[in-house]
Amino acid sequence: MTVFQSAWNAGSAQAGQRRAALLARLAALRALEGRATAASEKSRPVFEKRGQLLPRERVALLLDAGTPYLPLCALAGYLQDSQDAAQSVPGGGVVAGIGFVSGARCMVVASDSGIEAGAIQPMGLEKILRVQEIALQNKLPFIHLVESAGANLMRYRVEGFVQGGSLFRNLARLSAAGIPVITVQHGSGTAGGAYMPGLSDVVIMVRGRSRAFLAGPPLLMAATGEVATEEELGGALMHASLSGLGEQLAEDDRHALGLARQVVARFSWSNQVAALAERAQYATNSIAVEPLYPAEDLLGLVPDDLRQPLDMHEVIARLVDGSDFLPFKALYGAATVCVQASIAGHAVGIISNNGPIDVAGANKATHFIQLMCQLGHPLIYLQNTTGYMVGKDSEQAGMIKHGAKMIQAVSNCSVPQITLQCGASFGAGNYGMCGRGYAPRFLFSWPSAKTAVMGGEQAARTMQIVTEAALARKGLTPDAAQSQAQFDKIVALFEAQADVACTSGLLLDDGVIDPRDSRAVLAQCLAMCAEADARQLRPMQFGVARM
């Protein structure tokens, strides 16, 4: 046993100040996420008049009561739909998350039809593509609760139309991989949206509410002059009895969701869950125990000023089983932290940072990644770095080539990689610590996370030096006021884009989590990775074709 002995005073004034700052930041982010729920709720009278459930009520009824649910990408689209921070509504018009349906862990996606009738937003499309990727990687049945007005033609962008084809391609890939795709058609699916049920393995339609057609009555009239009703063109009864697009005909939303649960139950995937969970949780032949130190401490550990130090050993001790971990090369490249531990019984390797990554740290991390690949243990990256070490000594010692070795190892790692951005994620450190560009299986952020090519002040000072040198070559003297104005502008630009609300809004993570939930979120992700590794699929040459 190598139980960590914490030196952190959770009752100190510093801890209290940090805790208050992080809680305030967390509350602000949760308020942003809540905007989508509030906006959708405004449509309740319309939904009730039609005898329908709101999108989040649909998701809640579909999921098994009392089981874990992991929401995804709740801030997607923040400041993309509107540059006015007070008006922007995050979420991308899509509700997405991973939860249990009839005992099977599933990816659940719902059109947020309480907002603009579920019209597809650009970042909503990106969000769906991301969760499809997660479903494919982790072998999760994909359930889509559809009710969408399609694309908003007043905001038409040709790239959205072209890139939207990836959504349908991914459905075909999921089906061909042996991963079931289920659509519950709660409302309309027009033009490209009609291919959502068309490329699903099982389609459930609601009598009098579901619509699916390549051209609705207005477009049909404009294109051909033909006159037809919505029910004749694409109603639920027509598709269930004539076209064969629908397998199940429901009487209302509740009935449809009940049928979806029955369909999933018939997959018999839940029969595998107990065996998979047992294999996953006890892969180390050890029983998971809670950390010795409370997760509440994490709120006081994280500095609101990232220039203040944070010992990531203290963070790790509040995430891993029994606060028990084995350091790897502790005295070599000490600013790069590598340890072996378990989280909820899953054996893992953890890499983190107590400063910049130097030559020794890069070599240590490369060695450690290869060792974890040999053992088959997932890797967890806890990002907290200003990047790779710079300077004459580092360059002469081969920082570029040694950092490149670490990036090679991350890029070609053969075990699942999960990233948690805790603090700074600057420069190439974002790459070497498995940032979004390196396709970790999951990537979440803390409210304290900041992502940038460099710090705002460093960027501003760099430009100041370059500008002053250019002026000096011309024999000119820089204007102090202009120089300061440029400095302040660059700092503001970098700080705004480094902020976690901005990066999460751009889908550079899978969501911002409360630090206190980190262990539970990591445990869910590790369980999914283990289940995916153990689950045997029956892939086909093509996806299931509609008959």
Side-chain angles (χ1 to χ4, degrees):
M1 294 284 287
T2 49
V3 176
F4 179 76
Q5 298 299 314
S6 176
W8 178 248
N9 179 6
S12 68
Q14 182 186 55
Q17 181 271 327
R18 290 179 174 182
R19 183 178 188 277
L22 199 148
L23 283 174
R25 181 65 177 138
L26 185 61
L29 292 168
R30 291 293 178 259
L32 288 179
E33 293 173 352
R35 288 182 184 179
T37 302
S40 190
E41 179 68 27
K42 291 178 181 178
S43 298
R44 179 176 292 279
V46 175
F47 276 69
E48 290 181 346
K49 185 177 180 180
R50 296 190 306 222
Q52 289 185 294
L53 299 170
L54 284 167
R56 286 164 183 79
E57 293 174 329
R58 294 168 183 168
V59 172
L61 276 176
L62 178 67
L63 297 171
D64 296 348
T67 57
Y69 175 71
L70 182 61
L72 297 170
C73 309
L75 284 171
Y78 177 61
L79 293 181
Q80 304 305 304
D81 59 332
S82 169
Q83 289 299 299
D84 185 346
Q87 298 298 319
S88 180
V89 178
V94 176
V95 181
I98 300 169
F100 286 90
V101 179
S102 296
R105 202 188 302 263
C106 299
M107 177 65 73
V108 178
V109 178
S111 310
D112 199 345
S113 48
I115 302 174
E116 296 184 353
I120 297 173
Q121 301 176 23
M123 290 308 296
L125 172 61
E126 295 296 328
K127 180 173 177 175
I128 295 174
L129 295 178
R130 171 57 185 154
V131 299
Q132 285 178 326
E133 179 185 9
I134 292 173
L136 188 60
Q137 284 185 314
N138 295 282
K139 303 177 183 177
L140 300 172
F142 189 85
I143 305 175
H144 200 165
L145 312 181
V146 177
E147 183 175 35
S148 173
N152 186 329
L153 298 182
M154 297 298 292
R155 295 199 296 265
Y156 169 75
R157 302 288 296 182
V158 67
E159 65 270 25
F161 153 66
V162 173
Q163 293 164 359
S166 299
L167 186 158
F168 308 121
R169 173 178 177 267
N170 287 343
L171 295 176
R173 293 174 64 214
L174 284 162
S175 181
I179 300 170
V181 178
I182 303 168
T183 285
V184 181
Q185 192 79 29
H186 290 278
S188 294
T190 307
Y195 285 105
M196 183 68 225
L199 286 160
S200 298
D201 302 323
V202 178
V203 176
I204 300 164
M205 292 193 158
V206 179
R207 188 191 301 273
R209 294 303 321 166
S210 298
R211 301 282 189 274
F213 28 58
L214 295 179
L219 178 56
L220 184 67
M221 169 69 79
T224 69
E226 183 180 352
V227 177
T229 67
E230 287 190 342
E231 193 64 34
E232 290 170 328
L233 279 176
L237 181 59
M238 186 281 286
H239 282 307
S241 60
L242 295 178
S243 78
L245 182 64
E247 279 67 56
Q248 304 286 341
L249 182 62
E251 297 304 318
D252 56 24
D253 282 352
R254 291 178 183 274
H255 185 203
L257 296 165
L259 288 172
R261 290 180 52 80
Q262 290 184 49
V263 167
V264 175
R266 293 292 180 178
F267 290 163
S268 298
W269 279 36
S270 59
N271 297 342
Q272 305 175 43
V273 170
L276 292 173
E278 184 175 357
R279 170 177 170 176
Q281 187 167 357
Y282 300 109
T284 58
N285 296 317
S286 64
I287 297 176
V289 293
E290 291 297 311
L292 298 183
Y293 307 104
E296 194 73 23
D297 288 356
L298 294 171
L299 297 178
L301 274 165
V302 181
D304 51 329
D305 180 353
L306 296 183
R307 290 171 294 193
Q308 297 177 12
L310 167 60
D311 184 359
M312 294 303 291
H313 293 96
E314 296 282 1
V315 172
I316 294 169
R318 287 155 178 84
L319 299 179
V320 304
D321 296 353
S323 302
D324 174 15
F325 55 84
L326 178 64
F328 178 81
K329 291 182 184 286
L331 301 179
Y332 179 77
T336 299
V337 177
C338 298
V339 307
Q340 289 178 265
S342 293
I343 295 178
H346 302 275
V348 297
I350 299 175
I351 303 178
S352 191
N353 324 100
N354 278 342
I357 305 169
D358 58 15
V359 167
N363 279 306
K364 174 166 73 171
T366 301
H367 184 173
F368 188 69
I369 292 167
Q370 293 175 339
L371 177 62
M372 293 303 102
C373 290
Q374 182 188 64
L375 297 175
H377 294 175
L379 277 157
I380 295 174
Y381 298 84
L382 304 177
Q383 290 192 359
N384 180 46
T385 183
T386 53
Y388 287 93
M389 185 69 79
V390 296
K392 183 176 67 177
D393 290 344
S394 292
E395 298 288 7
Q396 292 178 356
M399 187 70 259
I400 294 173
K401 69 178 183 181
H402 295 299
K405 284 191 298 190
M406 181 177 173
I407 288 174
Q408 284 272 8
V410 173
S411 302
N412 296 288
C413 181
S414 59
V415 296
Q417 300 181 101
I418 300 168
T419 300
L420 183 57
Q421 293 185 293
C422 302
S425 178
F426 291 163
N430 175 273
Y431 304 161
M433 289 294 292
C434 202
R436 177 59 104 200
Y438 289 76
R441 191 76 70 92
F442 296 94
L443 190 156
F444 293 97
S445 299
W446 282 0
S448 48
K450 288 186 179 295
T451 306
V453 66
M454 64 183 73
E457 292 186 4
Q458 288 82 1
R461 181 57 183 150
T462 299
M463 286 305 301
Q464 197 173 55
I465 292 170
V466 170
T467 300
E468 289 174 357
L471 290 171
R473 288 193 296 270
K474 298 177 181 178
L476 302 175
T477 302
D479 180 275
Q482 289 182 349
S483 179
Q484 186 60 47
Q486 175 183 275
F487 186 95
D488 294 342
K489 182 178 179 180
I490 292 173
V491 170
L493 175 67
F494 270 71
E495 290 300 317
Q497 293 191 56
D499 186 81
V500 72
C502 177
T503 54
S504 194
L506 290 168
L507 282 177
L508 300 182
D509 63 29
D510 296 322
V512 181
I513 65 172
D514 186 325
R516 294 168 293 186
D517 296 333
S518 299
R519 175 175 163 84
V521 169
L522 290 172
Q524 288 188 62
C525 293
L526 290 165
M528 278 183 262
C529 293
E531 290 173 17
D533 184 55
R535 177 166 282 123
Q536 297 298 311
L537 298 179
R538 293 176 175 80
M540 303 179 293
Q541 185 177 4
F542 300 101
V544 173
R546 311 226 120 253
M547 298 297 178

